[in-house]
Amino acid sequence: MPSSDCFVSVIAALHNDADIVEPFVRETIAILQREYANYELVLVDDGSGDDTAARVAALLGEERCIRLLRLSRHFGQDVAITAGLDTVIGDFVVVLSPESDPPELVPEMVERCRRGPGVVYGIRRRAPAEPLFLRLGRPLFYRYFNRVLGVSLPADSTDFRAYSRQSVNAIVRIKDRLRYMRTFGTVIGFGAEPFPYELKLRRPRLRSRTLLQSIGLAVNMTVANSNRPLRFASLLALVAALVSAAVAVYALLVGWLARDVAPGWTTRQVFDSLMFMVVFAVLGTLGEYVGRLLDEVKDRPLYFVREERNSSVLLVDEKRKNVVTETD
């Protein structure tokens, strides 16, 4: 018998997923109908260029408790998930990827979340086929992020997550423009629990970022989550200043005590090159932070909604309209 003591919301961000959206939706709705008396499936179309929205619109007339949220353009998966979190009304919220996450695990994730942790996050057991640079660079990045930056980011974690109502209320208050949802569980501090699982691929190969996109994501995540690179740049500049002062004292002593001073062209060139390297490294780091700071002070909305559409039936139990009873 379906559980009636909680309302479960499921969020899926879509981007050019016309080829997989219909079987994904039908499978997810079937599981939610079987397990819960009160549920909703929120599909966020993140500026798809194919007929994803049209496929979902057709499903609205066939399945109940589905909402379609179309963004005005492609804002990125993390912003699309944020848009979904802003609108859900469930006591527990599950975020999953139509491309790789199994809907049949939603009830187990919700049950674990009900036991206490504010966030239950997915850990993939086996990585799918990926480009060589990702296979080599991913472990290094996790070590760098956890040990150098001091930000908790479990290795092989995914966007397959379950949130309590309290956690959702906290996350939607975070207005950072540079968003990476996998780090927010640590930020809000309501506790987190890993959930190992096997991916369920709906395409022969997962979509992956290019090398430049991966580097850009790494830079954005660094700037958004830690000021340690800025502190490192400051220390580097201080060391360079001390070295410069020492060389200046040395030059004065040589000029005062020595009678015949060699030109020292090589030493001079090496020293100048080193100092310019330090200066440009510091300027580059400062430029990244100043640029991100400029984006933040603009205070523009994270996203714009182009259209919202709903199934003819949104709530199975009309008495469950006001389910958001906890405050942050």
Side-chain angles (χ1 to χ4, degrees), residues 104-240:
E104 58 267 23
L105 295 181
V106 167
E108 184 176 354
M109 292 196 79
V110 170
E111 190 59 33
R112 288 201 185 188
C113 199
R114 295 185 70 169
R115 296 173 189 169
V119 180
V120 176
Y121 59 91
I123 300 286
R124 61 184 187 182
R125 287 197 175 99
R126 287 179 293 181
E130 294 178 321
L132 179 62
F133 72 87
L134 281 178
R135 292 201 304 271
L136 297 177
R138 192 185 301 276
L140 296 175
F141 175 75
Y142 280 119
R143 291 192 185 95
Y144 155 75
F145 209 74
N146 286 281
R147 298 180 183 179
V148 178
L149 299 186
V151 180
S152 177
L153 182 64
D156 292 322
S157 60
T158 69
D159 288 314
F160 189 27
R161 296 178 174 241
Y163 299 96
S164 66
R165 182 73 246 172
Q166 190 178 24
S167 296
V168 172
N169 291 347
I171 288 174
V172 297
R173 295 183 63 185
I174 300 175
K175 300 303 181 183
D176 298 0
R177 302 195 61 81
L178 294 176
R179 308 180 72 80
Y180 195 65
M181 300 299 296
R182 299 179 195 180
T183 63
F184 284 1
T186 302
V187 172
I188 60 177
F190 292 120
E193 179 181 308
F195 182 83
Y197 74 103
E198 297 285 347
L199 297 180
K200 182 176 183 177
L201 303 183
R202 293 184 175 82
R203 292 190 178 97
R205 290 180 64 90
L206 278 179
R207 295 170 179 169
S208 61
R209 298 181 178 90
T210 65
L211 177 59
L212 290 178
Q213 288 174 335
S214 299
I215 293 174
L217 177 62
V219 172
N220 286 341
M221 289 178 62
T222 297
V223 174
N225 291 283
S226 178
N227 63 357
R228 289 193 179 183
L230 193 60
R231 179 63 56 83
F232 177 75
S234 299
L235 293 175
L236 186 63
L238 177 61
V239 171

Side-chain angles (χ1 to χ4, degrees), residues 296-321:
E296 294 292 342
V297 299
K298 288 179 180 177
D299 198 26
R300 294 175 181 174
L302 289 174
Y303 59 87
F304 299 96
V305 177
R306 177 179 179 180
E307 179 186 19
E308 292 186 58
R309 301 183 67 176
N310 308 314
S311 298
S312 57
V313 176
L314 282 181
L315 292 172
V316 178
D317 183 1
E318 290 295 325
K319 296 180 181 179
R320 296 290 297 181
K321 282 184 178 180

